[in-house]
Amino acid sequence: MKITAIALSSILPVTVAFTFKGPVPTQSAMLAADTATVPSPEKPIFDPLGLYSANSPERLDGLIKPLESSTLSATKEIFDPLRLYSDQSEVSGKVETSAALPFLPRPALLDGSLPGDRGFDPFNFASDANSLQWQRKAELKHARLAMLAAVGWPIAELMHKNIADAFDLAPLLASNDRVPSILNDGLSHAHFPAFWIATIAVAAALEIAESVAENVSCKLNPTDYGFDPFNLGGKTDEQKRFMQEAEVFNGRLGMLAIVGFAAQEFALKSAVVDQIPIFFKPLNVAFEQLMTSGAM
Protein backbone atom coordinates (compact mmCIF):
# COMPACT_ATOMS: atom_id res chain seq x y z
CA MET A 1 0.00 0.00 0.00
CA LYS A 2 2.82 2.33 0.84
CA ILE A 3 4.57 1.46 -2.43
CA THR A 4 1.44 2.35 -4.41
CA ALA A 5 1.13 5.68 -2.63
CA ILE A 6 4.74 6.53 -3.30
CA ALA A 7 4.38 5.67 -7.01
CA LEU A 8 1.27 7.80 -7.34
CA SER A 9 2.90 10.71 -5.55
CA SER A 10 5.89 10.60 -7.94
CA ILE A 11 3.83 10.34 -11.13
CA LEU A 12 1.32 13.03 -10.24
CA PRO A 13 3.69 16.08 -10.42
CA VAL A 14 5.03 14.92 -13.75
CA THR A 15 1.51 14.56 -15.12
CA VAL A 16 0.54 17.97 -13.85
CA ALA A 17 3.67 19.51 -15.37
CA PHE A 18 2.75 18.29 -18.84
CA THR A 19 -0.92 19.05 -18.56
CA PHE A 20 -2.03 21.81 -20.99
CA LYS A 21 -3.16 24.82 -19.06
CA GLY A 22 -5.61 26.97 -20.95
CA PRO A 23 -8.23 26.52 -23.63
CA VAL A 24 -7.73 23.88 -26.28
CA PRO A 25 -6.94 25.50 -29.69
CA THR A 26 -9.68 25.12 -32.21
CA GLN A 27 -9.24 24.32 -35.90
CA SER A 28 -9.96 27.94 -36.90
CA ALA A 29 -7.28 29.23 -34.53
CA MET A 30 -4.73 26.83 -36.00
CA LEU A 31 -5.67 27.94 -39.52
CA ALA A 32 -5.26 31.58 -38.54
CA ALA A 33 -1.82 30.82 -37.14
CA ASP A 34 -0.79 29.19 -40.39
CA THR A 35 -2.02 32.08 -42.48
CA ALA A 36 -0.17 34.51 -40.21
CA THR A 37 3.15 33.05 -41.37
CA VAL A 38 2.36 33.94 -44.99
CA PRO A 39 3.58 37.47 -45.79
CA SER A 40 0.80 39.96 -46.17
CA PRO A 41 0.45 41.75 -49.49
CA GLU A 42 1.16 45.07 -47.76
CA LYS A 43 4.57 43.97 -46.42
CA PRO A 44 7.24 43.75 -49.16
CA ILE A 45 9.89 41.04 -49.30
CA PHE A 46 13.47 41.94 -50.16
CA ASP A 47 15.47 39.30 -52.00
CA PRO A 48 18.88 40.75 -52.97
CA LEU A 49 20.42 37.28 -53.35
CA GLY A 50 17.69 35.98 -55.64
CA LEU A 51 16.71 33.10 -53.35
CA TYR A 52 13.08 33.16 -54.49
CA SER A 53 12.61 31.38 -57.79
CA ALA A 54 10.80 32.97 -60.69
CA ASN A 55 7.80 30.66 -60.17
CA SER A 56 7.55 31.20 -56.42
CA PRO A 57 4.13 32.48 -55.16
CA GLU A 58 5.79 35.51 -53.56
CA ARG A 59 7.36 36.58 -56.82
CA LEU A 60 4.23 35.85 -58.85
CA ASP A 61 2.14 37.92 -56.41
CA GLY A 62 4.54 40.85 -56.73
CA LEU A 63 5.69 40.74 -53.11
CA ILE A 64 9.44 40.82 -54.02
CA LYS A 65 10.56 44.44 -53.96
CA PRO A 66 13.94 46.04 -54.77
CA LEU A 67 16.09 47.34 -51.93
CA GLU A 68 16.16 50.85 -53.41
CA SER A 69 13.01 52.85 -53.80
CA SER A 70 11.69 53.64 -57.24
CA THR A 71 12.43 57.34 -56.81
CA LEU A 72 16.09 56.69 -56.08
CA SER A 73 16.53 54.10 -58.83
CA ALA A 74 15.01 56.51 -61.34
CA THR A 75 17.47 59.28 -60.54
CA LYS A 76 20.60 57.35 -59.53
CA GLU A 77 23.04 56.35 -62.25
CA ILE A 78 24.03 52.68 -62.28
CA PHE A 79 27.66 52.07 -63.26
CA ASP A 80 28.51 48.52 -64.34
CA PRO A 81 32.00 48.31 -65.88
CA LEU A 82 32.28 44.55 -65.22
CA ARG A 83 28.87 43.89 -66.81
CA LEU A 84 27.45 42.17 -63.73
CA TYR A 85 23.89 43.17 -64.54
CA SER A 86 22.16 40.53 -66.64
CA ASP A 87 19.80 43.18 -67.97
CA GLN A 88 22.03 45.91 -69.38
CA SER A 89 19.02 48.12 -69.98
CA GLU A 90 19.11 48.94 -66.26
CA VAL A 91 22.64 50.35 -66.56
CA SER A 92 23.08 54.04 -67.19
CA GLY A 93 24.64 54.47 -70.60
CA LYS A 94 25.71 58.09 -70.12
CA VAL A 95 28.40 57.38 -67.47
CA GLU A 96 31.79 58.31 -68.94
CA THR A 97 34.59 56.07 -67.75
CA SER A 98 38.19 57.06 -67.15
CA ALA A 99 40.55 56.33 -70.05
CA ALA A 100 43.32 55.35 -67.62
CA LEU A 101 41.06 53.35 -65.26
CA PRO A 102 38.12 52.09 -67.33
CA PHE A 103 36.52 50.43 -64.30
CA LEU A 104 36.01 53.83 -62.61
CA PRO A 105 33.96 56.85 -63.70
CA ARG A 106 35.90 59.80 -65.05
CA PRO A 107 36.50 62.56 -62.46
CA ALA A 108 34.30 65.58 -63.06
CA LEU A 109 37.14 68.11 -63.40
CA LEU A 110 39.26 65.89 -65.64
CA ASP A 111 37.25 66.41 -68.80
CA GLY A 112 40.17 66.01 -71.23
CA SER A 113 40.70 69.72 -71.82
CA LEU A 114 44.16 69.75 -70.20
CA PRO A 115 47.16 68.25 -72.03
CA GLY A 116 47.89 64.73 -70.88
CA ASP A 117 44.55 64.34 -69.11
CA ARG A 118 43.42 60.72 -69.21
CA GLY A 119 41.13 60.81 -66.20
CA PHE A 120 43.64 59.31 -63.75
CA ASP A 121 42.92 60.55 -60.22
CA PRO A 122 42.03 57.51 -58.07
CA PHE A 123 42.75 59.34 -54.79
CA ASN A 124 40.81 62.49 -55.78
CA PHE A 125 43.75 64.86 -55.38
CA ALA A 126 42.13 67.32 -57.80
CA SER A 127 38.95 67.68 -55.76
CA ASP A 128 38.35 71.30 -56.82
CA ALA A 129 39.67 73.82 -59.36
CA ASN A 130 42.38 75.18 -57.05
CA SER A 131 43.67 71.72 -56.22
CA LEU A 132 43.69 70.79 -59.90
CA GLN A 133 45.73 73.90 -60.73
CA TRP A 134 48.23 73.21 -57.96
CA GLN A 135 48.59 69.52 -58.86
CA ARG A 136 49.06 70.42 -62.52
CA LYS A 137 51.94 72.78 -61.75
CA ALA A 138 53.52 70.28 -59.36
CA GLU A 139 53.37 67.51 -61.96
CA LEU A 140 54.97 69.65 -64.67
CA LYS A 141 57.76 70.84 -62.36
CA HIS A 142 58.62 67.33 -61.25
CA ALA A 143 58.29 66.03 -64.80
CA ARG A 144 60.79 68.55 -66.15
CA LEU A 145 63.24 67.85 -63.33
CA ALA A 146 62.84 64.11 -63.85
CA MET A 147 63.57 64.37 -67.57
CA LEU A 148 66.76 66.29 -66.83
CA ALA A 149 67.71 63.81 -64.12
CA ALA A 150 67.01 60.79 -66.34
CA VAL A 151 69.60 62.18 -68.79
CA GLY A 152 72.04 63.44 -66.18
CA TRP A 153 72.07 60.26 -64.10
CA PRO A 154 73.77 57.94 -66.65
CA ILE A 155 75.93 60.77 -68.02
CA ALA A 156 77.30 61.37 -64.51
CA GLU A 157 78.17 57.71 -64.09
CA LEU A 158 79.87 57.63 -67.49
CA MET A 159 81.78 60.93 -67.44
CA HIS A 160 82.05 62.17 -63.86
CA LYS A 161 85.41 60.56 -63.12
CA ASN A 162 86.98 61.87 -66.32
CA ILE A 163 85.73 65.40 -65.63
CA ALA A 164 86.96 65.25 -62.03
CA ASP A 165 90.38 64.04 -63.13
CA ALA A 166 90.62 66.79 -65.75
CA PHE A 167 90.11 69.46 -63.07
CA ASP A 168 92.17 67.56 -60.47
CA LEU A 169 89.16 67.13 -58.18
CA ALA A 170 88.03 64.20 -56.08
CA PRO A 171 85.11 62.27 -57.61
CA LEU A 172 81.83 62.49 -55.71
CA LEU A 173 80.25 59.26 -56.93
CA ALA A 174 79.05 56.77 -54.35
CA SER A 175 80.44 53.28 -53.98
CA ASN A 176 80.69 51.20 -57.17
CA ASP A 177 80.53 54.41 -59.22
CA ARG A 178 76.85 55.01 -58.45
CA VAL A 179 75.20 58.41 -58.64
CA PRO A 180 74.79 59.88 -55.13
CA SER A 181 71.27 59.43 -53.81
CA ILE A 182 69.47 59.07 -50.50
CA LEU A 183 69.25 55.29 -50.88
CA ASN A 184 73.01 54.75 -51.22
CA ASP A 185 74.11 57.43 -48.72
CA GLY A 186 75.78 59.29 -51.53
CA LEU A 187 74.46 62.74 -50.62
CA SER A 188 76.96 62.88 -47.74
CA HIS A 189 79.80 62.93 -50.28
CA ALA A 190 79.28 66.65 -50.80
CA HIS A 191 81.38 67.66 -47.81
CA PHE A 192 81.24 71.41 -48.29
CA PRO A 193 78.03 73.03 -46.94
CA ALA A 194 78.15 75.74 -49.62
CA PHE A 195 76.73 73.27 -52.15
CA TRP A 196 73.57 72.68 -50.13
CA ILE A 197 73.22 76.33 -49.20
CA ALA A 198 73.43 77.34 -52.85
CA THR A 199 71.01 74.61 -53.95
CA ILE A 200 68.35 75.51 -51.38
CA ALA A 201 68.82 79.24 -52.03
CA VAL A 202 68.31 78.88 -55.78
CA ALA A 203 65.20 76.70 -55.32
CA ALA A 204 63.75 79.13 -52.79
CA ALA A 205 64.44 82.13 -55.04
CA LEU A 206 62.61 80.48 -57.95
CA GLU A 207 59.61 79.58 -55.82
CA ILE A 208 59.38 83.03 -54.23
CA ALA A 209 59.60 84.74 -57.63
CA GLU A 210 56.82 82.53 -58.96
CA SER A 211 54.60 83.23 -55.95
CA VAL A 212 55.10 86.99 -56.32
CA ALA A 213 54.29 86.81 -60.03
CA GLU A 214 51.07 84.89 -59.32
CA ASN A 215 49.93 87.58 -56.89
CA VAL A 216 50.37 90.44 -59.36
CA SER A 217 49.27 88.69 -62.55
CA CYS A 218 47.19 85.78 -63.78
CA LYS A 219 48.32 83.39 -66.52
CA LEU A 220 45.99 81.15 -68.42
CA ASN A 221 48.70 78.48 -68.47
CA PRO A 222 50.62 78.59 -65.18
CA THR A 223 53.14 76.05 -66.45
CA ASP A 224 54.22 78.25 -69.38
CA TYR A 225 57.38 80.17 -68.44
CA GLY A 226 58.06 81.42 -71.94
CA PHE A 227 61.08 79.14 -72.39
CA ASP A 228 61.23 77.96 -76.00
CA PRO A 229 64.59 79.05 -77.49
CA PHE A 230 64.30 76.69 -80.46
CA ASN A 231 60.64 77.43 -81.17
CA LEU A 232 59.61 73.81 -80.70
CA GLY A 233 56.28 74.60 -79.09
CA GLY A 234 54.44 74.55 -82.40
CA LYS A 235 52.66 77.20 -84.41
CA THR A 236 49.14 75.83 -84.81
CA ASP A 237 46.83 74.75 -81.98
CA GLU A 238 47.24 71.09 -83.00
CA GLN A 239 51.02 71.34 -82.91
CA LYS A 240 50.99 73.09 -79.55
CA ARG A 241 48.66 70.47 -78.13
CA PHE A 242 50.88 67.67 -79.41
CA MET A 243 54.03 69.15 -77.87
CA GLN A 244 52.32 69.84 -74.55
CA GLU A 245 51.10 66.27 -74.32
CA ALA A 246 54.52 64.97 -75.38
CA GLU A 247 56.09 66.93 -72.51
CA VAL A 248 53.64 65.52 -69.97
CA PHE A 249 53.95 61.93 -71.16
CA ASN A 250 57.75 62.00 -71.35
CA GLY A 251 57.87 63.73 -67.97
CA ARG A 252 55.80 60.98 -66.37
CA LEU A 253 58.07 58.39 -67.95
CA GLY A 254 61.08 60.30 -66.62
CA MET A 255 59.69 60.23 -63.08
CA LEU A 256 59.24 56.48 -63.30
CA ALA A 257 62.75 56.11 -64.74
CA ILE A 258 64.37 58.03 -61.88
CA VAL A 259 62.58 55.90 -59.31
CA GLY A 260 63.72 52.80 -61.21
CA PHE A 261 67.34 54.00 -61.35
CA ALA A 262 67.46 54.63 -57.61
CA ALA A 263 65.73 51.34 -56.75
CA GLN A 264 67.97 49.31 -59.07
CA GLU A 265 71.19 50.74 -57.72
CA PHE A 266 70.00 50.29 -54.14
CA ALA A 267 69.03 46.65 -54.70
CA LEU A 268 71.87 45.53 -57.00
CA LYS A 269 74.66 47.71 -55.51
CA SER A 270 76.01 48.65 -58.94
CA ALA A 271 75.71 51.53 -61.39
CA VAL A 272 72.74 51.48 -63.74
CA VAL A 273 75.06 51.94 -66.74
CA ASP A 274 76.74 48.66 -65.77
CA GLN A 275 73.47 46.83 -65.19
CA ILE A 276 72.13 47.56 -68.69
CA PRO A 277 75.21 48.71 -70.62
CA ILE A 278 73.58 48.15 -74.00
CA PHE A 279 71.55 51.33 -73.47
CA PHE A 280 74.43 53.57 -72.37
CA LYS A 281 77.68 52.28 -73.85
CA PRO A 282 78.98 51.46 -77.34
CA LEU A 283 77.83 48.07 -78.58
CA ASN A 284 81.28 46.51 -78.53
CA VAL A 285 81.88 47.63 -74.96
CA ALA A 286 78.39 46.58 -73.91
CA PHE A 287 78.68 43.08 -75.42
CA GLU A 288 82.15 42.60 -73.96
CA GLN A 289 80.88 43.61 -70.53
CA LEU A 290 77.86 41.34 -70.80
CA MET A 291 79.98 38.38 -71.89
CA THR A 292 82.47 38.98 -69.08
CA SER A 293 79.71 39.12 -66.49
CA GLY A 294 78.14 35.91 -67.82
CA ALA A 295 74.86 37.55 -68.81
CA MET A 296 75.18 36.18 -72.36
Side-chain angles (χ1 to χ4, degrees), residues 47-282:
D47 183 28
L49 300 180
L51 300 179
Y52 285 83
S53 63
N55 298 327
S56 62
E58 293 83 1
R59 196 173 293 280
L60 293 176
D61 293 340
L63 299 179
I64 309 297
K65 302 296 182 181
L67 286 175
E68 296 181 354
S69 63
S70 59
T71 56
L72 289 177
S73 59
T75 58
K76 185 177 179 181
E77 294 182 351
I78 301 177
F79 183 60
D80 183 29
L82 301 180
R83 302 184 69 83
L84 299 178
Y85 278 73
S86 58
D87 186 5
Q88 287 294 312
S89 62
E90 301 178 3
V91 180
S92 302
K94 59 181 180 179
V95 178
E96 185 179 1
T97 59
S98 168
L101 301 173
F103 51 87
L104 293 178
R106 190 183 188 101
L109 294 178
L110 302 182
D111 56 358
S113 58
L114 296 176
D117 176 16
R118 295 299 183 268
F120 183 83
D121 189 15
F123 299 106
N124 196 28
F125 288 143
S127 56
D128 51 45
N130 293 329
S131 299
L132 176 61
Q133 195 83 332
W134 191 90
Q135 294 289 345
R136 182 189 178 195
K137 291 193 299 181
E139 182 186 31
L140 260 296
K141 288 181 180 179
H142 287 84
R144 290 163 180 170
L145 287 175
M147 287 188 285
L148 293 174
V151 176
W153 190 296
I155 289 178
E157 293 181 343
L158 293 172
M159 304 181 63
H160 177 74
K161 280 191 172 181
N162 297 331
I163 296 175
D165 293 339
F167 290 93
D168 196 19
L169 298 173
L172 298 178
L173 292 178
S175 58
N176 298 326
D177 296 337
R178 293 178 294 171
V179 164
S181 68
I182 297 176
L183 297 180
N184 58 26
D185 198 27
L187 296 181
S188 61
H189 291 200
H191 301 291
F192 45 90
F195 171 78
W196 296 112
I197 294 175
T199 302
I200 296 174
V202 170
L206 293 175
E207 290 294 329
I208 292 173
E210 181 182 358
S211 300
V212 172
E214 288 180 352
N215 291 332
V216 298
S217 63
C218 180
K219 294 192 300 183
L220 296 178
N221 185 4
T223 62
D224 183 11
Y225 295 98
F227 181 79
D228 189 11
F230 300 105
N231 196 22
L232 299 176
K235 297 180 180 180
T236 63
D237 293 339
E238 290 78 8
Q239 293 176 350
K240 292 179 181 178
R241 176 78 177 192
F242 176 82
M243 295 303 297
Q244 290 172 354
E245 291 209 329
E247 181 185 30
V248 174
F249 292 149
N250 285 279
R252 291 169 180 169
L253 184 61
M255 288 187 280
L256 293 176
I258 286 300
V259 174
F261 287 171
Q264 283 181 233
E265 294 196 353
F266 173 74
L268 302 179
K269 308 300 182 185
S270 61
V272 69
V273 295
D274 294 328
Q275 297 171 18
I276 41 178
I278 196 170
F279 290 152
F280 305 106
K281 297 181 179 181

